[in-house]
Structure formats: C-alpha cells, structure tokens
Amino acid sequence: AVSPIARDILETASAIGGQGGGKHVDDPYFLQPMEGVDGTGYRASWWTQFYCILWRSWLSVLKDPMLVKVRLLQTAMVASLVGSIYFGQVLDQDGVMNINGSLFLFLTNMTFQNVFAVINVFSAELPVFLREKRSRLYRVDTYFLGKTIAELPLFIAVPFVFTSITYPMIGLKAGVSHYLVTLFIVTLVANVSTSFGYLISCA
C-alpha cells in the first residue's frame, strides 16, 4: 500500500476514474464487472467447471498407471490368500463359522484398503486447490465431485477383482444372482470406505 508502485497505480486509477464522466466514484480501486463473469464471480458455468476438473483428474489418474496396476495386483494377491485359507467350504457347522470369518475379511479388507488409499488425496493437493479457489476458477463442489468420479472406476474395479477371485474359491452360494448381490454389497462397502477416507483427508 505504501510502495512507489502502489502510489503510481493509485494515481493512474484516480485519473481514469476522473475521466469516466458519470462513472466517477470516490474509491479509486473501483472496478467494473469483468466481461464474461456472472453474478457468482465465476467465468465458467457449473458444468464447464465440473467437466474440466473431471478431465484433469482423470488425466492425473492415467499418468500414473503403475499405481493402478500395483493396487489391482495387491488386491488379487490378498484375494488369493483369503481364498486359499478358506478354500472349498462346505455347509456344516465348521463351514458356516469359516464362511463368517471369510465375510469378515471381505469387509475389513475393502474398508481399510480403500480408506488408506485416499487418506492423502486432498491434503496433497491443498495448496493448488486453495490458489485456484481464490482465483475463482471453480467451486468446491465441482472440485470434489470431479476428483471422486475420476477415481470411481478404480474403486469399482478393486472390489470386482477381490470378489471374483474369493467367491468361487471359498465356495460361497452358487449362482450368478448371488454373486452379483455379493459384488454389489462389497462395492458399496468399498465406496463408503472411500468416502470416509475423503472425510479424513478433508479434515
């Protein structure tokens, strides 16, 4: 505010304000609304912001294919291990108890694996997000939705790989409909866990 550059800008702004005829105002820093900016202060519409964030987030996922491969390989290895431990269960008293244990491992593996996978997502990008948010480039909701939807295919692929390996190895109830119900529930658990991981990351 007291630098020579600031005084020059103040004099220039005051001179321009004085030449504006009916537009003259006392505040020399008064700026006219920027062309193309709506009442919310953003140049782009909600959908444009969402599309750009989604595309950028998707590119960031594609730029690190090794991470995707490692996660899928890790899931396949853990699934094979669980399937080997509980291989070929029959429906007697011991089998029912073993199946309960395998289902517990289904849930715990999908929960902790997905929580810790995203726990650093937002904190890692916080400086960039704050800078771009202050520049009014996009809203918070478009950023959050774009980030989460871009990573959604991976959080669908992981439970699919895990369930497809362990379900037949353990010998759970045969039938496509039963398998699809199990896959649906495991996918829901994985994505709820991911959301909880996002909550921790935001906090």
Side-chain angles (χ1 to χ4, degrees), residues 66-178:
M66 183 57 66
L67 180 63
V68 176
K69 293 177 183 177
V70 167
R71 286 209 59 198
L72 293 177
L73 180 62
Q74 173 192 358
T75 301
M77 292 175 64
V78 173
S80 300
L81 179 62
V82 173
S84 300
I85 294 172
Y86 293 98
F87 186 79
Q89 296 300 316
V90 294
L91 288 178
D92 55 15
Q93 187 63 38
D94 291 337
V96 169
M97 296 297 293
N98 290 336
I99 289 173
N100 281 339
S102 68
L103 294 179
F104 174 76
L105 286 180
F106 262 69
L107 299 179
T108 53
N109 183 69
M110 285 296 100
T111 299
F112 292 109
Q113 179 180 350
N114 289 290
V115 165
F116 290 114
V118 300
I119 204 166
N120 197 39
V121 167
F122 293 118
S123 56
E125 294 188 3
L126 187 61
V128 176
F129 167 73
L130 290 177
R131 184 173 67 247
E132 295 178 343
K133 177 67 175 65
R134 288 170 184 148
S135 300
R136 310 291 286 176
L137 292 181
Y138 48 74
R139 298 169 173 81
V140 177
D141 55 346
T142 54
Y143 172 77
F144 182 83
L145 290 174
K147 283 288 295 180
T148 53
I149 294 176
E151 296 180 353
L152 188 61
L154 180 61
F155 296 122
I156 294 177
V158 166
F160 174 77
V161 170
F162 186 84
T163 306
S164 298
I165 294 174
T166 52
Y167 196 93
M169 288 184 70
I170 296 172
L172 298 176
K173 193 169 184 179
V176 176
S177 61
H178 302 301

Side-chain angles (χ1 to χ4, degrees), residues 178-197:
H178 302 301
Y179 163 77
L180 291 177
V181 168
T182 305
L183 178 61
F184 177 70
I185 294 173
V186 173
T187 304
L188 285 181
V189 169
N191 282 275
V192 168
S193 304
T194 302
S195 299
F196 186 69

